Amino acid sequence: MNFLLRSFAITSLCSIALPAVADYDDHPKARLLADQLVNEHAFNREWVMDVLEDADKMPQLIQAEKKSAEKVKPWYEYRKIFLTKKRISDGVAFKKTHNQPLGVAQTRFGVPPELITAIIGVETLYGNYTGKHRILDALATQGFDHPTRSKFFYNELLHLFLVARKHNLDITDIRGSYAGAMGVPQFMPSNYLRLGVDFDGNGKIDLWNKVDAIGSAANYFVNYLGDNRGWKRGEPVTTRIRLTQAQLKGITVNGKKADMTLADLAARGVDISGLPSADLGAPVGILQLEGSNGPEYWVAFNNFYAIMSYNPRVKYAMAVYQLSQAIREASS
């Protein structure tokens, strides 16, 4: 059934049997979006408005985004979600099954197989659950009605139209997360376009394909931030450290980028002799996490912030890193 007939059937069914839902075809931002897609990307206005009419307002997705686990759970609880025996063993199995493309990704991008495995394990249980929500509903709801982040999600909704056109996808049937991420590596639409890689060489970029997902995730780590700030081959990620309150004074913890150097730490009297870098000029940041027995302090190097580019939450990036190390150890 083509899109217009399917839309008519759905609308007719809803008018007979179900309460009316809030469509987005008459929202002011819908008209603005249509103008952009028509004027800047040569879309057909009538088709765009038909698509937006099919979008359902789902305010529960806004609440899910605002209450995500990395925002509300302390580290010692959040960690337990991802560092489970099953997720580790499934990671070992994924790494073994996909050894060849993971090895190619390491050679090409410098990202270790266990890290690519871990990010896919955290995002979609190694590709076994890529999300149940229609991306159209998620991004229309978040892009038009999110109280604080509508600009970000509006831009991703625009890119969803571009992704669907470029990759010949049915825009009304793409499924993913409540925040609009899709595929095995859970890319937002703009990142699908910018960082997706045809890693199996079949001439198309399919983020529901695990081989393409592996290459795309590696490419993301290296190139998302740009300006040579992404993942660097062979460099350290993070390590735990002891800090006194006096040494912490004036330090910003849990920032989104490195804001000091190892030399700065040494000048504060911090013992850096056991850290995995001897370069006193190495940029670093300090992380503070809620341990079950009190605060934990970590030194974060450039590569930790490359992981954070995937999700700008310290707990998230630390969970990915620690899962990667557990997978590496269990694989040896």
Side-chain angles (χ1 to χ4, degrees), residues 4-240:
L4 290 177
L5 288 176
R6 189 172 68 81
S7 295
F8 177 79
I10 292 172
T11 302
S12 299
L13 178 62
C14 289
S15 66
I16 296 171
L18 297 173
V21 295
D23 295 330
Y24 276 119
D25 59 320
D26 61 351
H27 194 288
K29 289 184 179 178
R31 293 191 290 273
L32 177 63
L33 179 67
D35 288 342
Q36 285 186 261
L37 289 170
V38 170
N39 297 330
E40 299 174 16
H41 303 285
F43 277 81
N44 177 276
R45 182 181 298 276
E46 182 179 0
W47 182 81
V48 171
M49 298 309 295
D50 283 336
V51 169
L52 293 174
E53 183 176 6
D54 193 49
D56 293 337
K57 182 177 181 178
M58 303 186 71
Q60 66 270 31
L61 302 186
I62 294 177
Q63 294 306 310
E65 189 276 334
K66 292 169 67 177
K67 295 179 180 179
S68 58
E70 60 265 25
K71 293 182 179 180
V72 300
K73 286 186 178 294
W75 165 244
Y76 61 88
E77 291 183 2
Y78 183 80
R79 183 182 187 276
K80 294 176 184 178
I81 299 172
F82 302 102
L83 273 292
T84 64
K85 289 183 179 180
K86 178 169 175 52
R87 204 177 299 239
I88 293 167
S89 63
D90 286 352
V92 172
F94 181 94
K95 183 170 173 283
K96 182 177 180 180
T97 299
H98 300 284
N99 177 66
Q100 194 273 338
L102 286 166
V104 174
Q106 182 175 29
T107 299
R108 178 172 169 183
F109 296 103
V111 183
E114 62 269 16
L115 181 62
I116 300 173
T117 299
I119 199 75
I120 292 173
V122 165
E123 289 290 340
T124 59
L125 294 171
Y126 307 104
N128 293 315
Y129 182 73
T130 58
K132 65 180 181 180
H133 303 290
R134 287 202 313 169
I135 300 296
L136 175 62
D137 297 337
L139 291 178
T141 300
Q142 308 271 18
F144 294 165
D145 291 319
H146 196 289
T148 59
R149 301 185 65 203
S150 63
K151 182 177 180 180
F152 168 78
F153 288 112
Y154 174 95
N155 182 62
E156 293 301 332
L157 177 59
L158 184 149
H159 281 87
L160 177 66
F161 280 83
L162 300 178
V163 167
R165 181 171 68 179
K166 181 175 181 179
H167 298 289
N168 196 29
L169 303 174
D170 180 354
I171 194 171
T172 66
D173 197 40
I174 306 170
R175 305 277 167 165
S177 79
Y178 58 77
M182 64 184 80
V184 172
Q186 291 290 277
F187 277 17
M188 297 300 286
S190 61
N191 290 324
Y192 196 139
L193 289 173
R194 187 165 73 93
L195 299 166
V197 174
D198 171 21
F199 211 54
D200 63 3
N202 69 351
K204 62 181 180 179
I205 300 170
D206 178 4
L207 291 189
W208 287 264
N209 173 300
K210 292 179 181 178
V211 175
D212 282 2
I214 286 168
S216 298
N219 186 43
Y220 191 113
F221 282 130
V222 173
N223 292 310
Y224 175 82
L225 292 172
D227 298 327
N228 198 35
R229 293 182 296 145
W231 182 273
K232 293 182 172 55
R233 187 187 304 267
E235 293 193 4
V237 179
T238 185
T239 190
R240 197 163 174 179

Side-chain angles (χ1 to χ4, degrees), residues 300-322:
F301 296 87
N302 175 82
N303 281 349
F304 186 85
Y305 297 101
I307 300 175
M308 274 185 70
S309 70
Y310 222 96
N311 181 320
R313 301 281 173 178
V314 168
K315 286 178 281 191
Y316 172 92
M318 186 64 78
V320 170
Y321 174 67
Q322 291 193 6

